[in-house]
Amino acid sequence: MKGRCFCGKVQITASEPLMLRTCWCRDCQYLAAGSATVNAVFRKDAVSIEGELADYESVADSGAKMVRSFCPHCGTPVSSRSDTRPQLIVLRVGLFEDREALAPSLTIWTESAPEWACINEEIPSTPRQPPPIA
């Protein structure tokens, strides 16, 4: 799977994701201009990222220390990493060329979604953080 940021200065190559999900946590709503983010979870060693990234560190509602990376040239959100799951990296689905192959199979943090949120009821959901991925 190949992808890039908006300006193309960050290039991504990745294997098949472990999980695809939509996230309505408040942090993701900031990142997605008020909507949910659509994320692909990968093993960290299955992803290659080329190009300069800038990082922003914060603590998520789950209590995890998060490092979110973005392209410093165009501002495209690229990835999230958690201190509680250092073997994983989360990439934004919008980066990838073949987004059709990356449909979410879970919606998380629905309790944080605004009343007007469009949440696909055909996809399983959870009000907060799901159990850890192995």
Side-chain angles (χ1 to χ4, degrees):
M1 306 177 81
K2 296 201 178 291
R4 67 175 183 85
C5 67
F6 185 58
C7 71
K9 291 184 179 182
V10 175
Q11 298 286 322
I12 298 165
T13 304
S15 65
E16 292 297 313
L18 301 171
M19 171 71 69
L20 295 154
R21 57 193 187 191
T22 303
C23 181
W24 278 99
C25 79
R26 186 63 180 111
D27 291 350
C28 281
Q29 290 178 56
Y30 283 115
L31 294 170
S35 193
T37 57
V38 183
N39 306 297
V41 181
F42 295 89
R43 289 197 52 77
K44 194 173 176 183
D45 60 5
V47 173
S48 171
I49 300 175
E50 295 180 25
E52 179 185 3
L53 291 174
D55 292 338
Y56 179 75
E57 294 184 13
S58 65
V59 176
D61 286 341
S62 65
K65 179 182 171 189
M66 301 296 297
V67 177
R68 292 180 173 85
S69 298
F70 59 95
C71 174
H73 302 283
C74 66
T76 300
V78 174
S79 67
S80 295
R81 298 178 314 281
S82 168
D83 67 339
T84 60
R85 298 174 185 148
Q87 76 280 15
L88 303 177
I89 186 168
V90 177
L91 299 177
R92 308 294 175 234
V93 167
L95 299 164
F96 290 97
E97 295 168 6
D98 187 7
R99 294 167 316 284
E100 292 298 324
L102 298 169
S105 57
L106 179 66
T107 301
I108 65 174
W109 285 95
T110 57
E111 75 176 25
S112 299
E115 288 184 22
W116 52 259
C118 295
I119 298 174
N120 185 341
E121 294 188 15
E122 294 178 12
I123 297 173
S125 65
T126 181
R128 296 182 64 88
Q129 186 70 22
I133 296 172

